Amino acid sequence: MQTAETISIVPEPQLGVRRKRQHIARLYQATQLGAMLSALAVFAFFSITAGDKGFLTLAATSGWLNASAELALIAIPVGLLMIAGEFDLSVGSVVGASSITMALGVTVYDLPVPLVFLMCLAIGVLVGLFNGMLVNSTGLPSFIVTLAANYVLLGLALGLSRALAGTSTVSVDITGFWGNVFGATFGDLNVTVVWCLVLGLIAYWVLSRMSIGSWIYATGGNLDGAIKAGVPTQKVRLALFVTTGVAAAIVGALQAALFNSGNAVQGQGFVFQAPIVAVIGGVLLVGGYGTVQGVVLGTITYGMVNIGLFYTGWTTDWLSTFIGGLLIVAVLANDFVRKAALRQASSIPASAPRTTIKRRVQA
Amino acid sequence: MELEDVSKAFGSTHALQHASMELHAGEVHCLLGDNGAGKSTLIKVMSGVYVPSSGRLLVDGEPVTLAGPRQAQDLGIATVHQDVGMIPLMSVARNFYLGREPNKGWGPFRRFDAARARATALDEVHAMGITRVTDANQLVGTLSGGERQALGIARAIHFGAKVLILDEPTSALGVKEASVVLKQIDSARSRGLAVVLITHNASHALSIGDRFTVLIQGQVADQWARGERTRDEVLDLMAGGESVEDLFEKLD
């Protein structure tokens, strides 16, 4: 009896392994599906609880689209950087510095708008170069480097704007062609949505279609292996830090035009919102995996929670609790997926993606 | 390829002293020795990671100075490390072409030629006898250790390797997987590559090697061609020049 059973299951292990592999391959594609499901679940939740209170109106939809687009403009590049295994927490201060620069340049110094915008972008580039070069040359964790940069720049923006204009909040009114580029509204929809679509498509193209997309995944997935394969990991990192800086600068400029005011200290919310939505969207915190589509779905989830909670009429005090809960669920799901995919890897331990690349300077 | 009287010192530590070694196309040269005997240093000199303190490298009879791993690769010297350097959460196709991606299109639309990459990667992996991989989109993290080695070797051969340096390819593998890798080494040899095989495992070395070099404390202790030493002699040499039987006696 026992013998017969043993014989009958002999061919099965191989079949089982293959089936398991296909299952895992599907599970992986499901990371994005997970983000999609969370967005749909949040949408359904607020449709039920706040649908009759206006959540399904055009105004509310525009509201969460605006909120999502603004966040996505920063979260998409931050997500790419996280896939490459690094953080950028300096985006908050870049937003503020760019916003006050826009207002000071246009209102106080009466400079042409395109020139001031270039100055804003220059701030983003400089901060990105500072972060990238410091991380590359010292091997210090980018978490600390960019956190420090965030504080240094916050103080600089505040101090300089007070010194130059006597205030850290300057009103600004951009009109005409440039007013439309940076501050146009279509009904309740902001021009931010258009900027976000353009940037999102470019990021999608770069990550999933271009060679540098592989390099980004490889830099975060196995730094040592990437270097041995000849991937210019330091350049990849530097380019991504500059991109996050520039994206944050764009958001600062857009905010100045949309709010008709520049404020040196605004934008700090993005510091943690961006990585949060990236993780909700399926980006692995340790790097090596994630998609642009996922990050976008993560920001949509965030935007809907943000606006939806307002329409329920409940106190928005619960917003942070809601987001925190979502984040925990997302991290648990990500962790499960990674372990499932690597369980079969015999020569590389399950924790390999990050431990082997922990700090590069010793190499 | 040939190493002539190569030494490498780190400060006052002589990791490698006056080592000479010849590699021939269509041969497997086994590099044996205990931990710390200088095997890693030797292959790092060969793969361009270290510049030797003295001595020289000859490729096709011409002396060369390797400025880095990239130059070694350009000369057809490829190294597949124990961990193979694969990116676990990336597909087989993207891993295969990592750092040397085929592109199509122009200007801003220049992009990774995914279809070509998938087809070539699958062909090359199948040519190494790995038929279980049927989808090039499969993540490398789901491959077994032997399959990853195969992918690494296939990649090296595809990109024109003439000298293939394998660093402990079988040490982390089970018996069955190891025999798969040994078959791949054999197929690389029959395709005319010069293979350097670093291993701790005397059985693996003896089953596939054409030439053998044993390093002891940074020096070449012995060199011979297939059949010139008995299995016991090899084991003694690998144990650092002491008789293995003596070692067991000491244990008793």
Side-chain angles (χ1 to χ4, degrees):
Chain A
M1 176 79 184
Q2 267 187 338
T3 327
E5 258 183 19
T6 317
I7 291 167
S8 72
I9 58 165
V10 164
E12 272 195 8
Q14 260 198 333
L15 195 70
V17 166
R18 187 164 299 174
R19 204 175 282 158
K20 200 175 166 193
R21 281 181 188 188
Q22 283 168 354
H23 180 66
I24 284 166
R26 249 182 257 132
L27 200 65
Y28 249 85
Q29 283 143 15
T31 321
Q32 222 156 283
L33 194 72
M36 172 82 82
L37 286 176
S38 78
L40 285 175
V42 167
F43 182 75
F45 177 80
F46 286 112
S47 296
I48 293 163
T49 55
D52 52 351
K53 294 170 192 158
F55 179 68
L56 298 172
T57 60
L58 201 62
T61 308
S62 304
W64 63 256
L65 277 175
N66 288 338
S68 304
E70 197 177 76
L71 179 53
L73 265 175
I74 293 180
I76 291 170
V78 165
L80 258 55
L81 186 66
M82 284 168 70
I83 292 171
E86 304 294 343
F87 280 99
D88 189 351
L89 305 181
S90 68
V91 287
S93 294
V94 175
V95 170
S98 165
S99 137
I100 191 71
T101 303
M102 196 73 179
L104 277 176
V106 173
T107 305
V108 178
Y109 293 97
D110 211 17
L111 296 169
V113 176
L115 178 68
V116 181
F117 182 58
L118 284 179
M119 287 161 64
C120 294
L121 294 186
I123 292 172
V125 172
L126 283 177
V127 174
L129 286 175
F130 172 83
N131 289 333
M133 281 154 75
L134 200 59
V135 168
N136 275 342
S137 62
T138 63
L140 287 170
S142 52
F143 191 95
I144 294 301
V145 169
T146 58
L147 189 62
N150 194 53
Y151 274 82
V152 170
L153 187 62
L154 181 62
L156 271 178
L158 204 55
L160 280 177
S161 61
R162 284 245 169 81
L164 292 170
T167 169
S168 63
T169 318
V170 177
S171 64
V172 58
D173 191 17
I174 301 169
T175 51
F177 173 74
W178 294 105
N180 283 331
V181 169
F182 296 113
T185 48
F186 315 94
D188 291 317
L189 218 53
N190 292 339
V191 73
T192 330
V193 177
V194 179
W195 282 82
C196 172
L197 275 176
V198 172
L199 180 107
L201 284 172
I202 294 173
Y204 169 78
W205 179 263
V206 167
L207 190 63
S208 69
R209 292 282 179 269
M210 285 175 67
S211 301
I212 195 179
S214 292
W215 301 354
I216 291 171
Y217 284 117
T219 303
N222 179 354
L223 184 62
D224 198 38
I227 291 169
K228 278 177 188 158
V231 173
T233 55
Q234 297 220 336
K235 282 184 196 161
V236 168
R237 224 180 268 129
L238 194 64
L240 290 173
F241 273 118
V242 170
T243 310
T244 53
V246 166
I250 291 174
V251 169
L254 289 171
Q255 282 191 345
L258 281 164
F259 305 164
N260 286 321
S261 126
N263 184 346
V265 297
Q266 78 189 28
Q268 291 302 318
F270 290 114
V271 171
F272 287 109
Q273 280 165 14
I276 284 171
V277 297
V279 169
I280 291 176
V283 173
L284 285 184
L285 202 66
V286 290
Y289 194 74
T291 58
V292 172
Q293 306 93 293
V295 176
V296 169
L297 288 166
T299 55
I300 286 176
T301 305
Y302 191 96
M304 283 195 297
V305 171
N306 216 338
I307 302 296
L309 214 54
F310 168 77
Y311 278 93
T312 57
W314 309 337
T315 162
T316 46
D317 296 349
W318 296 104
L319 177 67
S320 298
T321 310
F322 213 106
I323 294 294
L326 259 176
L327 184 61
I328 288 177
V329 173
V331 172
L332 284 174
N334 284 344
D335 199 48
F336 170 76
V337 166
R338 181 177 64 113
K339 282 188 179 140
L342 294 178
R343 195 163 294 143
Q344 299 187 357
S346 53
S347 67
I348 295 184
S351 59
R354 188 63 195 201
T355 46
T356 50
I357 55 173
K358 204 61 192 176
R359 278 318 0 144
R360 48 198 157 256
V361 154
Q362 294 136 358
Chain B
M1 185 179 180
E2 202 177 328
L3 274 79
E4 220 177 65
D5 202 27
V6 168
S7 299
K8 176 69 189 175
F10 300 98
S12 58
T13 316
H14 297 280
L16 201 60
Q17 294 177 55
H18 309 292
S20 298
M21 182 170 172
E22 276 178 39
L23 309 175
H24 300 283
E27 276 189 8
V28 175
H29 196 134
C30 293
L31 188 55
L32 310 169
D34 208 352
N35 290 323
K39 293 178 307 211
S40 309
T41 309
L42 186 61
I43 61 163
K44 279 180 176 156
V45 168
M46 279 193 262
S47 56
V49 178
Y50 294 154
V51 177
S53 312
S54 67
R56 49 185 203 158
L57 268 74
L58 304 163
V59 175
D60 294 330
E62 300 282 317
V64 291
T65 313
L66 299 176
R70 203 72 222 217
Q71 198 194 339
Q73 281 172 22
D74 291 343
L75 282 167
I77 303 162
T79 312
V80 179
H81 295 274
Q82 191 183 333
D83 64 5
V84 202
M86 292 287 161
I87 320 300
L89 295 178
M90 221 161 73
S91 72
V92 166
R94 278 186 178 257
N95 264 291
F96 189 87
Y97 278 104
L98 184 62
R100 283 172 284 208
E101 287 83 358
N103 285 307
K104 64 176 180 183
W106 52 270
F109 299 105
R110 195 168 155 76
R111 62 197 181 274
F112 181 59
D113 192 347
R116 201 176 110 201
R118 281 198 296 270
T120 315
L122 268 191
D123 283 351
E124 294 286 352
V125 172
H126 288 168
M128 295 305 300
I130 303 294
T131 47
R132 284 205 310 170
V133 179
T134 51
D135 179 6
N137 283 328
Q138 191 178 342
L139 299 175
V140 161
T142 64
L143 300 183
S144 71
E147 287 166 343
R148 285 186 209 195
Q149 285 288 342
L151 184 55
I153 295 171
R155 176 166 73 175
I157 295 174
H158 179 78
F159 288 107
K162 286 180 280 180
V163 177
L164 185 61
I165 302 167
L166 301 173
D167 186 9
E168 301 274 6
T170 56
S171 66
L173 303 181
V175 177
K176 225 176 158 182
E177 287 262 284
S179 78
V180 170
V181 171
L182 289 176
K183 271 185 207 144
Q184 287 153 10
I185 296 171
D186 184 44
S187 104
R189 168 169 60 189
S190 55
R191 286 165 98 162
L193 275 83
V195 181
V196 182
L197 174 64
I198 292 93
T199 181
H200 274 103
N201 190 317
S203 318
H204 292 166
L206 288 167
S207 69
I208 191 118
D210 299 299
R211 263 168 223 280
F212 302 82
T213 296
V214 175
L215 287 177
I216 295 175
Q217 290 178 357
Q219 295 182 343
V220 174
D222 200 1
Q223 251 168 355
W224 71 93
R226 188 179 188 83
E228 290 175 7
R229 297 283 182 283
T230 67
R231 188 185 164 80
D232 284 344
E233 284 172 333
V234 175
L235 285 173
D236 291 349
L237 274 163
M238 284 177 76
E242 292 184 69
S243 163
V244 173
E245 277 176 27
D246 287 351
L247 286 175
F248 281 114
E249 268 169 30
K250 278 181 204 164
L251 282 174
D252 295 337

